[in-house]
Amino acid sequence: IKMDIEGEEYNALKGAIKTIRKFKPKIIIEIHSKNLREKIIEFLKNYGYDLVFEKEKKEHGFYLSYFKCIIA
């Protein structure tokens, strides 16, 4: 799953929770604030995901974050 939806990533993840639980897809998200970043990390950790890679794009004001499910 790849998301870049200008601040609505958390709501999209909540809406996709059945898919996330069933298929445990890799998830790449462009996150546009530190507060939202923390919220998303905590949410995905509850479903067995860990932050695998992240690049902060300071000049554009977002994080490019890659999550992978670590619990089978």
Side-chain angles (χ1 to χ4, degrees):
I1 296 175
K2 181 190 177 293
M3 293 184 181
D4 177 12
I5 45 181
E6 306 301 320
E8 291 299 319
E9 294 84 5
Y10 179 73
N11 291 329
L13 287 170
K14 289 191 325 185
I17 199 58
K18 287 181 183 178
T19 299
I20 291 170
R21 282 186 192 156
K22 183 175 181 178
F23 298 105
K24 299 177 181 11
K26 295 173 186 164
I27 302 172
I28 299 172
I29 308 174
E30 195 170 286
I31 305 172
H32 291 270
S33 77
K34 286 185 179 187
N35 290 338
L36 185 57
R37 177 184 172 271
E38 294 302 321
K39 196 173 183 180
I40 288 171
I41 289 171
E42 186 64 31
F43 178 80
L44 288 174
K45 279 187 178 184
N46 289 329
Y47 294 98
Y49 279 77
D50 198 14
L51 179 62
V52 177
F53 172 81
E54 183 170 70
K55 180 161 178 105
E56 185 176 5
K57 299 281 202 165
K58 289 184 181 182
E59 67 275 9
H60 300 291
F62 68 85
Y63 298 87
L64 183 60
S65 307
Y66 169 61
F67 297 89
K68 185 175 179 184
C69 188
I70 57 172
I71 299 173

